[in-house]
Amino acid sequence: MKLTILGCYSATPRTFSNPTSQVLDIKNHMFLIDCGEGTQVQLRRQKIKFARIKHIFISHLHGDHFFGLPGLISTFRLLGREAELHIYGPKGIKEAITLMLKLGDSWTNYPLIFHELISRESELIFEDDKVEVHTIPLKHRIYANGFLFKEKPGERKLNIEAVTRYGIDKCFFQNIKNGKDVMLDSGEIVPNKKLTFDPSHPKSYAFCSDTSFNTALVPVINNSDILYHESTFLDQHEHLAEKTGHSTAKQAGKIAKLANVKTLILGHYSTRYENMESFKQEAEQEFNNVLLADDGKEFEF
Amino acid sequence: MKLTILGCYSATPRTFSNPTSQVLDIKNHMFLIDCGEGTQVQLRRQKIKFARIKHIFISHLHGDHFFGLPGLISTFRLLGREAELHIYGPKGIKEAITLMLKLGDSWTNYPLIFHELISRESELIFEDDKVEVHTIPLKHRIYANGFLFKEKPGERKLNIEAVTRYGIDKCFFQNIKNGKDVMLDSGEIVPNKKLTFDPSHPKSYAFCSDTSFNTALVPVINNSDILYHESTFLDQHEHLAEKTGHSTAKQAGKIAKLANVKTLILGHYSTRYENMESFKQEAEQEFNNVLLADDGKEFEF
């Protein structure tokens, strides 16, 4: 699983800082999460192939999380895209994008499919044989969701030494990886656990931005491997966090601890601060494995 | 008069090329012309004070000319703007911007005033004591206008030597600059032209993008000092220009010649071409004073 941060600053795009957008490379999917202004340029900078993006998840309809979307959709069209594009986001997103494109008489020539969200409860919004995506209801000034990306448990791993020892034919291998026992010619049944190892741990990534400090999201993201939690403010501005529906780094650390995640990544910094290290230090007062997002940074898990 | 090119490439924003946007500094106005995605970042790069922008002119509603507008309007709000912002553009622009902001529950706290355009004839859309702005109807795939920015003739210039020689008191100077004659104590009337020089030539700037080759715009922009005319294609792709409602560099040169302008600036280049010099060379086959726009370039007139 690889996470690429395209932008992780709050509010407005600037010369050297971009609003929220990231790409999660998970089980051959390239999921785009949020799409602030300039996202398509950031995708080019990171050399991410546009054609690999088939699903875009939009947390909420503040400009710094979706004003890059009409341009990206238009660029896909100019590049001759034919593949479906799925967009998951709050109700209203379809009307807005449709209007922006309609005014230019430039509807897409590829299928553009909107999945509008209205639920206040966590729900499954995407699933295939390898991955699930669930919403994480957030508490912000407007309707907002985070997203929980979960790998499904993979196949069991073949114990080559054991299957060789038992003289088992290759044609049984897929069944064994699927968890089946094997009956030998002798009639003896070899239980699956003698022939396989456990599959690798299925990983999960929880994206939570924008949100105020909200313990209600703990059960949804519990035991996730990686949590990206917004930290717009430092502790000295906790009152601003409360007023604007955002969190401090320390509060992000608290959520990480309560949810028992393995790694916390901080982002959505207010540009009022010069030194991002303070975010790490304050979150570390609550939780000990803290990383700092930055534009262009990649995290491999 | 100073023209700053923020972006002059067609279609999509890229790492080193921006869609259409420019700033015209004329008689203390900072007029923003078009607003492709990333315009606010380009404004920062050029160190143009956001507060000085009070009028934005949008030629047409293709994404590469207005997808930066919702973000710029939002940023003005975040920066605490209080001054009015006037936006001139095709009908529909108000609904689109209003919807984008409404979805984020983030209406501006400064007056945002839309002037929607529907006329197919050139019309006066802004005027004060020093400047006029007229539309230039263009021929494109959708409704589009260029804009003609004209300085009004200034005051006549005082001939200091002459007024001293006649012993004229300072209290008459403003009347003289306004074109009045002066009666001396002797009863002699000194005609204004003996006391003044002509005012400096009032300059004009015509912005024409996007448009196919269209001689109907010649009478509107006739004798302009500077013409910015789109040249999306080179001559070898004239068929594409015709098909997509754009012009070639040579066609831009023809319009410049027919309209008897002083200087032609080319822009809106397709990113398919590596070398912009070819645009200049092809336009120069028709017109001899050709300049090339480029992102970040400034022209003083």
Side-chain angles (χ1 to χ4, degrees):
Chain A
M1 198 194 290
K2 185 168 124 184
L3 178 70
T4 304
I5 307 295
L6 302 175
C8 66
Y9 290 83
S10 69
T12 71
R14 290 164 189 259
T15 311
F16 301 108
S17 63
N18 295 277
T20 302
S21 187
Q22 37 185 262
V23 175
L24 184 69
D25 187 350
I26 176 175
K27 297 282 179 192
N28 266 326
H29 289 291
M30 286 292 250
F31 290 137
L32 183 67
I33 308 164
D34 279 349
C35 190
E37 185 175 349
T39 292
Q40 57 177 311
V41 175
Q42 285 295 90
L43 284 168
R44 284 186 196 272
R45 280 204 186 110
Q46 299 300 317
K47 303 197 189 312
I48 292 169
K49 290 212 175 79
F50 284 18
R52 288 200 59 201
I53 296 170
K54 292 175 181 153
H55 302 270
I56 303 178
F57 300 86
I58 301 293
S59 63
H60 67 296
L61 299 182
H62 278 149
D64 56 331
H65 294 253
F66 92 110
F67 279 176
L69 193 53
L72 185 61
I73 288 170
S74 300
T75 294
F76 282 165
R77 180 179 60 81
L78 289 169
L79 297 177
R81 182 187 182 107
E82 294 181 357
E84 284 182 356
L85 180 66
H86 293 265
I87 294 174
Y88 307 77
K91 188 166 170 54
I93 193 169
K94 180 177 179 178
E95 187 190 354
I97 299 298
T98 307
L99 179 59
M100 294 289 271
L101 299 178
K102 197 182 73 176
L103 286 171
D105 198 14
S106 51
W107 193 239
T108 64
N109 42 6
Y110 58 87
L112 182 60
I113 300 152
F114 289 92
H115 305 264
E116 293 198 316
L117 308 174
I118 51 167
S119 176
R120 302 273 172 182
E121 307 288 326
S122 176
E123 57 178 343
L124 178 68
I125 56 172
F126 173 83
E127 182 176 21
D128 68 6
D129 57 338
K130 292 188 174 157
V131 181
E132 287 177 3
V133 185
H134 300 256
T135 58
I136 308 167
L138 301 177
K139 207 165 99 187
H140 192 42
R141 301 199 301 279
I142 58 172
Y143 178 74
N145 287 294
F147 301 101
L148 176 62
F149 302 86
K150 289 169 76 169
E151 293 178 354
K152 289 185 175 180
E155 296 173 336
R156 298 190 62 76
K157 288 183 180 166
L158 211 58
N159 180 338
I160 297 292
E161 186 274 323
V163 293
T164 311
R165 183 158 35 84
Y166 283 106
I168 296 170
D169 192 87
K170 275 185 184 170
C171 68
F172 294 101
F173 285 3
Q174 189 57 53
N175 275 347
I176 295 170
K177 288 194 269 187
N178 291 346
K180 295 272 170 63
D181 299 337
V182 173
M183 186 192 283
L184 302 179
D185 293 345
S186 65
E188 181 194 350
I189 290 177
V190 187
N192 187 274
K193 64 180 176 182
K194 283 195 173 176
L195 302 173
T196 59
F197 302 112
D198 286 344
S200 32
H201 166 70
K203 296 200 189 74
S204 55
Y205 171 63
F207 169 86
C208 295
S209 185
D210 296 356
T211 186
S212 54
F213 178 69
N214 176 22
T215 54
L217 58 81
V218 170
V220 184
I221 63 172
N222 216 24
N223 298 320
S224 293
D225 292 277
I226 307 107
L227 166 65
Y228 176 96
H229 194 291
E230 75 127 285
S231 57
T232 309
F233 296 104
L234 292 176
D235 207 34
Q236 65 185 113
H237 294 119
E238 193 187 333
H239 59 290
L240 288 182
E242 197 175 330
K243 189 178 154 196
T244 58
H246 288 296
S247 301
T248 65
K250 202 170 168 182
Q251 289 170 334
K254 272 185 195 159
I255 295 292
K257 187 180 175 184
L258 288 169
N260 190 38
V261 305
K262 290 201 181 72
T263 303
L264 169 66
I265 301 176
L266 296 177
H268 202 266
Y269 319 111
S270 162
T271 48
R272 81 186 58 210
Y273 306 110
E274 293 279 314
N275 180 5
M276 300 304 127
E277 278 302 313
S278 311
F279 285 88
K280 190 167 189 286
Q281 286 159 14
E282 293 195 0
E284 281 173 344
Q285 292 171 21
E286 299 290 337
F287 183 78
N288 64 10
N289 188 16
V290 181
L291 302 175
L292 291 173
D294 203 0
D295 297 5
K297 206 163 173 180
E298 296 176 350
F299 299 93
E300 298 225 30
F301 301 102
Chain B
M1 196 194 292
K2 184 168 125 185
L3 178 69
T4 304
I5 308 294
L6 303 175
C8 66
Y9 291 83
S10 70
T12 70
R14 290 164 189 259
T15 311
F16 300 109
S17 64
N18 295 277
T20 302
S21 187
Q22 37 186 261
V23 175
L24 183 69
D25 187 350
I26 176 174
K27 297 282 180 193
N28 266 326
H29 289 291
M30 287 292 250
F31 290 137
L32 182 67
I33 308 165
D34 279 349
C35 190
E37 184 174 350
T39 292
Q40 59 177 310
V41 175
Q42 286 294 91
L43 284 168
R44 283 185 196 273
R45 280 203 186 111
Q46 297 301 318
K47 303 198 190 309
I48 291 168
K49 290 213 175 79
F50 284 18
R52 288 201 58 202
I53 295 170
K54 291 176 181 155
H55 303 270
I56 302 178
F57 300 86
I58 301 293
S59 62
H60 66 296
L61 300 182
H62 278 150
D64 56 331
H65 293 254
F66 94 109
F67 280 176
L69 193 53
L72 184 61
I73 289 170
S74 300
T75 294
F76 282 164
R77 180 180 59 80
L78 288 169
L79 297 177
R81 183 186 181 106
E82 293 180 358
E84 285 182 356
L85 180 66
H86 293 264
I87 294 175
Y88 307 77
K91 189 165 170 55
I93 194 169
K94 180 176 178 177
E95 186 189 356
I97 299 298
T98 307
L99 179 59
M100 294 289 271
L101 299 178
K102 197 183 75 175
L103 286 172
D105 198 14
S106 51
W107 193 240
T108 63
N109 43 6
Y110 58 88
L112 182 59
I113 299 153
F114 290 92
H115 305 264
E116 293 199 315
L117 307 174
I118 51 167
S119 176
R120 302 273 171 182
E121 307 287 327
S122 176
E123 58 179 342
L124 178 68
I125 55 172
F126 173 83
E127 182 175 24
D128 68 5
D129 57 337
K130 291 188 175 157
V131 181
E132 287 178 3
V133 185
H134 300 256
T135 58
I136 307 167
L138 301 176
K139 206 165 96 186
H140 192 43
R141 301 199 302 280
I142 58 172
Y143 178 75
N145 287 294
F147 302 101
L148 175 63
F149 302 86
K150 288 168 77 169
E151 292 178 355
K152 290 185 174 179
E155 295 172 337
R156 298 190 61 78
K157 287 182 181 166
L158 212 58
N159 180 339
I160 297 292
E161 186 275 322
V163 293
T164 311
R165 181 157 34 85
Y166 283 106
I168 295 170
D169 192 88
K170 275 185 185 172
C171 66
F172 294 100
F173 285 4
Q174 189 58 51
N175 275 348
I176 296 170
K177 287 194 268 186
N178 293 346
K180 296 270 170 64
D181 299 337
V182 174
M183 188 192 283
L184 303 179
D185 293 345
S186 65
E188 181 194 350
I189 290 176
V190 187
N192 187 274
K193 65 179 176 183
K194 283 194 174 176
L195 301 172
T196 59
F197 303 112
D198 286 344
S200 28
H201 167 71
K203 296 201 188 74
S204 55
Y205 171 63
F207 168 87
C208 295
S209 186
D210 296 355
T211 186
S212 54
F213 178 68
N214 177 22
T215 54
L217 58 81
V218 170
V220 185
I221 64 172
N222 216 24
N223 298 320
S224 294
D225 292 277
I226 307 107
L227 166 64
Y228 176 96
H229 194 290
E230 74 127 288
S231 58
T232 309
F233 296 104
L234 292 177
D235 207 33
Q236 66 184 116
H237 295 119
E238 193 187 333
H239 59 289
L240 287 182
E242 197 175 330
K243 189 178 154 196
T244 58
H246 288 296
S247 301
T248 64
K250 202 169 167 181
Q251 290 171 335
K254 272 184 195 159
I255 295 291
K257 187 180 175 184
L258 288 169
N260 191 38
V261 305
K262 291 199 181 72
T263 303
L264 169 65
I265 302 176
L266 297 177
H268 203 266
Y269 319 112
S270 162
T271 47
R272 80 186 59 211
Y273 306 110
E274 293 279 314
N275 180 7
M276 299 304 127
E277 277 302 314
S278 311
F279 286 89
K280 191 169 189 286
Q281 286 159 14
E282 293 195 0
E284 281 174 344
Q285 292 170 22
E286 299 290 337
F287 183 78
N288 65 10
N289 190 15
V290 181
L291 302 175
L292 291 172
D294 203 0
D295 297 5
K297 206 162 172 179
E298 294 176 352
F299 299 93
E300 297 224 30
F301 302 102

